[in-house]
């Protein structure tokens, strides 16, 4: 009997080890490919170069046969699209969370929250389709009307749709934070004559600030790693620009374009995708850890 | 509507006080005299209105998303057919020249066409798949040979779109069809030789180069096979890990490390898992590219942390008294877990697992990395056959510049969303039906 017990425990431990091993393998495999990439291409060229053209020539004796791998335009593009996304998601998500947790009646909340959470469950490829088929033509027509020329694969389109996609995520995270602020705080504020909005702005939000900041950081991390919307709605050309009306490219788009299709595995082009992937992994990891630390360190302890 | 919520919250706010003294409520609701108070109340209303507008925008977006997909996609569920007087000549059937039979019957319907280009336009009224349909008819009933029959043949994609829009009175003249084709279609429609039928081909076929023949069967089966592999791998592994961490492991730096590891894994962008699949499964293990086996294994890694977290939460929700009671009756530690705790936690675990399956079902990006973006016309037979999944099929069709694929894409999204809704409803049902509130 005791042996059987030990056996079960050991197999459970083995499963746990396997799970951990798998997580280790992810980092290791992506990291080793990245190292191989940097043995071909200098680190400084990748992180500070402003020219991205990974297409290698067919013959080695052709000019510019090696391709250049300056990732600055890609990181800028990722930054720009995520910034636009957060400009949509942060106010929408925060205001919606405040309205739902403070103002809305229980009945309204009961059906509005699940309906908004549908948005979070829609697969990202659907958002991509929506961006391409619906939003891009609308934005372009709108731009034409006021005399702006908007690229058909503009950062604005991709960012807006991505923002809508992140909104329910930011909303439900910050709603949890807002409703976990003790009621006694807002009652105290209301009792001395503050209006509801003054209570929110001056009491609830400051108390919930660490949680809200971490919710926004998690939203950013989502946006940085989002793939399908940008693959379908953002461009391929690596333009170094901060103009939201132009076409930009992101890290995820480049990974997809470099790796889809048959490639020999040893070319710089393929390895560049792993280097981008590792930077992406590292960035989201930092954002998530930052979100965790902010909540742990700055959370006010009530009760 | 805003008025209504304003009143409700105001009543809710003062409900306690109102019972004792109705005056407070009254004086609050009266329009304040002081300018500064009016200003503050205006600010209050503005703030609340902004919140409501935020929610409204999110609703509007959801509505326009659904409306868009529906209005683009519903027409893909019908198929345009043309009735042709077909003569099954034995001579041509022997030579397998079904294309000529179709062309002859089209020429019989519209005689007197000599020009080559005109002829080509005429022949492209019907689907390029039409000869196969005739062949199937002959194989099923050979007695039709040398007879004449009226046969409904699917129209080509461009004609189909024109006819459907014509029917729905938004006669948008697409540049893809010629004036004489417009005349023929109008003629056919007038003589009731054109009709719309439910598009079974969409559910019976795999992908096709011809939009009118493209269907979702192959990709749906690919999705199911991928999910099967994914669940077989992630479910036992995830639940076992969670049980060990929650019930057996002593707290140490090592379990802390595992916990942080798993929590971080849940936030890794999905495309990174695709990179892992590419470098480990395909490159090191040499597993077959584009197969549902590899796809499932990649998605399993993706949902593993989600399952671990959900299972741990479900186990934590079981009160310790259950464990103590079982132990007091003489159960060994594993018996406590497997006979009692786990049983009570099962509804919660299942809900978490099903929701993570929904996530895996809608996932596209990692599958692009391992080559599941393939043209799959036939249902994959084994787990190592090249396969694709429903979301990837949506992506492929969305990239197809041909006009006929726009409605197909939206229709495939409708199928995808239907599955998502079904999976979520199952999760909700299990939660409502089996969950135990302690």
């Amino acid at each position: 009997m005791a042996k059987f017990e030990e056996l079960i425990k050991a197999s459970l431990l083995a499963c746990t080890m396997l799970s951990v091993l798998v997580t280790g393998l992810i980092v290791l495999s992506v990291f080793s490919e990245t190292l191989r990439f940097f043995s071909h291409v200098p680190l400084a060229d990748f992180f500070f170069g402003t020219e991205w053209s990974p297409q290698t020539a067919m013959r080695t004796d052709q000019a510019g046969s090696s391709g250049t791998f300056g990732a600055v335009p890609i990181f800028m593009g990722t930054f720009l699209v995520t910034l636009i996304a957060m400009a949509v998601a942060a106010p929408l998500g925060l205001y919606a969370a405040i309205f739902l947790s403070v103002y809305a009646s229980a009945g309204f909340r009961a059906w509005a929250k699940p309906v908004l959470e549908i948005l979070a469950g829609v697969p990202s490829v659907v958002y991509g389709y929506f961006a391409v088929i619906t939003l891009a033509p609308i934005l372009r027509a709108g731009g034409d009307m006021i005399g702006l020329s908007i690229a058909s694969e503009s950062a604005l389109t991709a960012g807006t749709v991505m923002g809508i996609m992140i909104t329910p995520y930011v909303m439900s995270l910050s709603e949890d934070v807002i409703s976990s602020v003790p009621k006694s705080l807002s009652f105290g504020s209301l009792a001395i004559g503050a209006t509801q909005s003054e209570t929110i702005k001056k009491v609830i939000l400051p108390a919930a600030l660490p949680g809200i900041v971490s919710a926004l950081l998690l939203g950013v991390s989502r946006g940085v790693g989002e793939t399908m919307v940008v693959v379908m709605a953002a461009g391929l050309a690596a333009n170094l620009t901060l103009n939201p009306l132009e076409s930009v490219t992101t890290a995820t788009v480049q990974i997809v374009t470099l790796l889809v299709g048959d490639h020999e595995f040893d070319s710089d082009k393929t390895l560049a995708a792993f280097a981008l992937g590792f930077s992406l992994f590292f960035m989201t990891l930092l954002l998530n850890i930052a979100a965790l630390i902010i909540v742990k360190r700055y959370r006010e302890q009530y009760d | 509507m805003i008025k209504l919520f304003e009143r409700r919250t105001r009543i809710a706010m003062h409900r306690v006080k109102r019972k004792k003294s109705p005056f407070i409520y009254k004086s609050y609701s009266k329009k304040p005299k002081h300018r500064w108070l009016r200003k503050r109340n205006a600010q209050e209303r503005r703030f609340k209105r902004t919140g409501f507008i935020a929610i409204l925008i999110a609703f509007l977006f959801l509505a326009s998303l659904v409306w868009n997909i529906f209005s683009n996609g519903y027409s893909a569920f019908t198929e345009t057919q043309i009735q042709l007087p077909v003569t099954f000549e034995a001579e041509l059937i022997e030579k397998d020249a079904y294309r000529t039979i179709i062309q002859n019957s089209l020429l019989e319907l519209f005689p007197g066409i000599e020009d080559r280009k005109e002829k080509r336009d005429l022949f492209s009224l019907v689907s390029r798949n039409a000869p196969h349909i005739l062949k199937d008819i002959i194989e099923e009933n050979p007695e039709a040979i040398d007879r004449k029959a009226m046969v409904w043949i699917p129209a080509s994609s461009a004609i189909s779109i024109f006819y459907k829009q014509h029917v729905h009175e938004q006669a948008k003249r697409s540049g893809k069809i010629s004036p004489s084709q417009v005349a023929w279609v109008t003629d056919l429609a007038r003589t009731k030789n054109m009709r719309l039928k439910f598009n079974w081909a969409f559910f019976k076929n795999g992908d096709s180069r011809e939009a009118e023949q493209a269907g979702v069967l192959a990709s749906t089966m690919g999705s199911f096979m991928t999910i099967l592999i994914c669940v077989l791998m992630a479910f036992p592994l995830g639940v076992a890990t969670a049980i060990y961490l929650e019930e057996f492991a002593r707290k140490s730096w090592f379990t802390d490390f595992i916990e942080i590891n798993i929590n971080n894994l849940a936030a890794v962008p999905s495309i990174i898992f695709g990179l892992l699949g590419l470098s480990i499964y395909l490159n090191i293990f040499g597993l077959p590219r584009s197969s549902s086996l590899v796809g499932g294994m990649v998605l399993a890694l993706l949902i593993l942390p989600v399952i671990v977290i959900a299972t741990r939460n479900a186990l934590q929700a079981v009160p310790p008294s259950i464990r103590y009671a079982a132990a007091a009756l003489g159960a060994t530690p594993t018996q406590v877990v497997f006979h009692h705790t786990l049983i009570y936690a099962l509804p919660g675990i299942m809900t978490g697992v099903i929701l993570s399956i929904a996530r895996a079902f809608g996932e596209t990006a990692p599958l692009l990395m391992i080559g599941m973006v393939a043209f799959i016309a036939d249902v994959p037979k084994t787990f190592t056959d090249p396969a694709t999944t429903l979301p990837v099929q949506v992506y492929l069709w969305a990239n197809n510049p041909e006009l006929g694929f726009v409605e197909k894409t939206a229709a495939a999204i409708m199928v995808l969303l239907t599955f998502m809704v079904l999976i979520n409803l199952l999760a909700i049902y299990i939660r409502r039906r089996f969950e135990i509130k302690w």
Side-chain angles (χ1 to χ4, degrees):
Chain A
M1 198 65 195
K3 229 179 195 172
F4 181 67
E5 292 272 309
E6 289 309 310
L7 194 73
I8 288 182
K9 259 190 225 174
S11 55
L12 286 176
L13 180 63
C15 282
T16 311
M17 293 319 250
L18 197 59
S19 308
V20 176
L21 189 75
V22 155
T23 66
L25 275 183
I26 293 184
V27 185
L28 211 67
S29 68
V30 179
F31 188 61
S32 69
E33 304 295 343
T34 309
L35 281 185
R36 264 170 70 195
F37 174 73
F38 284 124
S39 69
H40 295 259
V41 177
L43 217 79
D45 281 11
F46 183 74
F47 285 109
F48 300 110
T50 55
E51 192 74 40
W52 176 267
S53 58
Q55 292 306 325
T56 43
M58 296 311 266
R59 298 196 314 272
T60 39
D61 54 317
Q62 270 176 324
S65 60
S66 59
T68 44
F69 298 96
V72 170
I74 292 172
F75 293 136
M76 279 298 256
T78 311
F79 170 74
L80 180 63
V81 173
T82 312
L83 192 73
I84 296 168
M86 287 318 285
V88 173
L92 265 187
L94 266 183
Y95 269 112
I98 289 171
F99 188 86
L100 277 185
S101 56
V102 180
Y103 288 112
S105 66
F108 180 72
R109 239 177 85 104
W111 66 265
K113 224 186 148 192
V115 168
L116 289 179
E117 272 160 8
I118 293 176
L119 278 176
V122 173
S124 56
V125 68
V126 177
Y127 283 100
Y129 174 79
F130 183 80
V132 175
I133 293 287
T134 312
L135 196 66
I138 290 177
L139 282 180
R140 210 164 46 226
D144 281 345
M145 250 184 337
I146 54 171
L148 282 171
S149 78
I150 299 179
S152 60
E153 297 184 321
S154 64
L156 191 63
T157 318
T160 312
V161 171
M162 193 197 274
I164 300 276
M165 199 177 143
I166 304 174
T167 300
Y169 187 65
V170 172
M171 184 193 82
S172 61
L173 282 176
S174 32
E175 209 214 329
D176 288 347
V177 176
I178 289 172
S179 33
S180 71
V181 173
K183 287 277 171 290
S184 55
L185 285 184
S186 54
F187 284 160
S189 162
L190 291 170
I192 55 171
T195 63
Q196 192 65 262
S197 66
E198 284 161 350
T199 306
I200 294 165
K201 279 186 263 188
K202 299 193 173 132
V203 177
I204 298 182
L205 284 188
L209 195 63
I212 287 174
V213 170
S214 94
L216 292 179
L217 284 182
L218 289 177
V220 170
S221 131
R222 266 237 151 143
V224 168
E226 171 49 42
T227 311
M228 290 322 290
V229 169
V230 278
V231 165
M232 293 166 86
L236 293 177
N239 295 326
L240 185 59
T241 175
L242 278 178
N243 182 355
L245 306 182
E246 275 179 45
S247 154
V248 295
T249 192
T250 72
T252 46
V253 175
Q254 287 305 318
I255 294 175
V256 169
T257 42
L258 290 176
L259 289 184
V260 169
D262 287 304
H263 295 295
E264 73 273 46
F265 207 69
D266 280 334
S267 73
D268 284 355
K269 205 172 126 184
T270 319
L271 293 177
F274 279 91
L276 283 177
F278 189 75
S279 333
L280 203 64
F281 175 75
F282 198 67
M283 255 191 283
T284 51
L285 197 67
L286 279 186
L287 283 168
N288 293 328
I289 292 175
L292 212 69
I293 289 176
I294 287 174
V295 168
K296 273 209 174 140
R297 181 164 305 169
Y298 296 103
R299 188 172 50 196
E300 308 273 335
Q301 292 292 338
Y302 302 105
D303 313 321
Chain B
M1 207 153 184
I2 300 177
K3 271 270 152 52
L4 191 73
F5 297 127
E6 234 168 34
R7 244 196 59 217
R8 277 200 194 157
T9 42
R10 199 178 293 157
I11 291 170
M13 248 168 64
H14 293 274
R15 188 164 287 154
V16 189
K17 290 175 186 169
R18 197 160 54 123
K19 274 183 195 152
K20 284 179 188 159
S21 117
F23 302 107
I24 294 172
Y25 175 61
K26 256 189 189 163
S27 68
Y28 182 88
S29 66
K30 230 195 275 174
K31 212 178 170 95
K33 293 261 169 11
H34 301 292
R35 192 145 43 100
W36 57 273
L37 202 53
R38 265 214 298 277
K39 203 172 130 198
R40 282 175 63 200
N41 281 350
Q43 226 168 27
E44 162 78 19
R45 276 194 299 277
R46 243 193 336 266
F47 188 75
K48 191 197 278 186
R49 208 175 301 136
T50 321
F52 187 68
I53 288 170
I55 291 206
L56 215 58
I57 290 175
F59 277 159
L60 271 180
F61 183 82
L62 183 64
S64 76
L65 185 77
V66 171
W67 165 245
N68 233 288
I69 286 162
F70 185 77
S71 65
N72 273 326
Y74 78 98
S75 59
F77 292 108
T78 54
E79 179 186 60
T80 313
Q81 296 178 334
I82 300 175
Q83 196 172 31
L84 291 181
V86 179
T87 321
F88 294 102
E89 290 173 48
E91 200 181 326
L92 290 173
I93 288 170
E94 238 160 73
K95 278 194 283 179
D96 210 26
Y98 290 97
R99 186 168 299 279
T100 322
I101 300 180
I102 290 280
Q103 290 174 349
N104 286 345
S105 62
L106 276 166
L107 283 172
E108 189 187 326
L109 208 57
F110 298 101
I113 293 167
E114 296 297 332
D115 184 39
R116 274 178 73 99
K117 198 190 161 300
E118 287 270 283
K119 265 190 180 168
R120 209 175 56 223
D121 283 349
L122 179 66
F123 297 154
S124 65
L125 281 184
V126 293
S127 163
R128 251 180 245 178
N129 198 37
H132 299 287
I133 291 169
L134 287 192
K135 196 172 181 180
D136 289 347
I137 290 175
I138 289 298
E139 270 166 14
E140 261 175 50
N141 20 286
E143 71 272 16
I145 293 177
D146 266 335
R147 287 204 202 146
K148 201 166 173 173
M150 297 299 274
V151 181
W152 286 101
I153 301 284
S156 70
S157 166
I159 297 297
S160 178
I161 288 168
F162 171 72
Y163 179 70
K164 280 173 188 168
Q165 284 173 347
H166 203 73
V167 164
H168 301 299
E169 293 185 19
Q170 349 164 317
K172 261 190 260 165
R173 297 286 154 102
S174 81
K176 286 212 164 172
I177 66 176
S178 70
S180 41
Q181 278 180 327
V182 173
W184 292 326
V185 170
T186 325
D187 200 40
L188 282 170
R190 195 172 42 81
T191 54
K192 305 255 185 265
N193 278 324
M194 263 184 129
R195 66 174 183 184
L196 288 175
K197 281 288 262 187
F198 186 75
N199 191 356
W200 286 111
F202 187 66
F203 296 100
K204 283 198 289 200
N205 293 358
D207 201 357
S208 168
R209 305 266 178 234
E210 315 298 328
E212 72 272 11
Q213 288 301 320
V216 290
L217 184 65
S219 50
T220 309
M221 290 313 288
S223 264
F224 283 136
M225 291 165 79
T226 310
I227 293 297
L228 185 68
I229 296 281
C230 167
V231 173
L232 284 181
M233 190 173 157
F235 180 66
L237 206 58
V239 172
T241 304
I243 291 175
Y244 181 77
L245 287 177
E246 200 56 44
E247 303 288 334
F248 293 111
R250 272 183 221 92
K251 212 166 162 50
S252 68
W253 65 268
F254 184 65
T255 51
D256 278 347
F257 166 75
I258 295 176
E259 200 174 332
I260 292 170
N261 208 327
I262 285 170
N263 285 341
N264 272 328
L265 203 63
V268 168
S270 60
I271 193 168
I272 306 289
F273 291 94
L275 288 178
L276 163 95
L278 180 63
S279 77
I280 291 189
Y281 293 154
L282 297 187
N283 220 36
I284 297 178
F285 293 165
L287 292 172
R289 210 180 143 75
S290 313
S291 63
S292 49
L293 178 71
V294 177
M297 284 165 75
V298 166
L299 291 183
L301 298 185
L302 188 76
I303 66 169
L304 183 69
V306 186
I307 291 183
V308 172
I309 292 169
T311 307
R312 291 190 71 175
N313 287 340
L315 287 171
Q316 271 168 13
V318 178
S321 54
I322 298 283
R323 297 181 180 90
Y324 298 152
L329 289 172
T332 63
T334 49
Q335 281 172 342
V336 171
V337 172
F338 286 98
H339 295 178
H340 303 275
T341 322
L342 193 61
I343 307 297
Y344 286 119
L346 210 55
I349 296 174
M350 288 318 287
T351 313
V353 169
I354 291 170
L355 288 179
S356 68
I357 288 176
R359 194 182 151 193
F361 202 90
E363 198 58 68
T364 322
L367 301 181
L368 301 184
M369 301 284 91
I370 53 158
M372 286 184 92
V373 268
F375 176 81
I376 306 293
D378 298 309
V379 176
K381 290 192 181 58
T382 65
F383 288 103
T384 49
D385 283 347
T388 190
T389 66
L390 209 43
V392 180
Q393 187 73 75
V394 169
Y395 170 69
L396 282 170
W397 283 349
N399 275 352
N400 198 314
E402 219 176 291
L403 198 63
F405 279 104
V406 173
E407 60 170 18
K408 294 285 168 180
T409 315
I413 288 176
M414 282 160 83
V415 175
L416 176 65
L417 291 183
T418 309
F419 278 121
M420 299 295 271
V421 168
L422 287 180
I423 295 172
N424 278 292
L425 282 181
L426 183 65
I428 291 171
Y429 172 75
I430 289 181
R431 184 154 52 199
R432 290 260 165 90
R433 174 78 178 69
F434 297 105
E435 199 181 42
I436 306 151
K437 286 256 164 22
W438 301 100

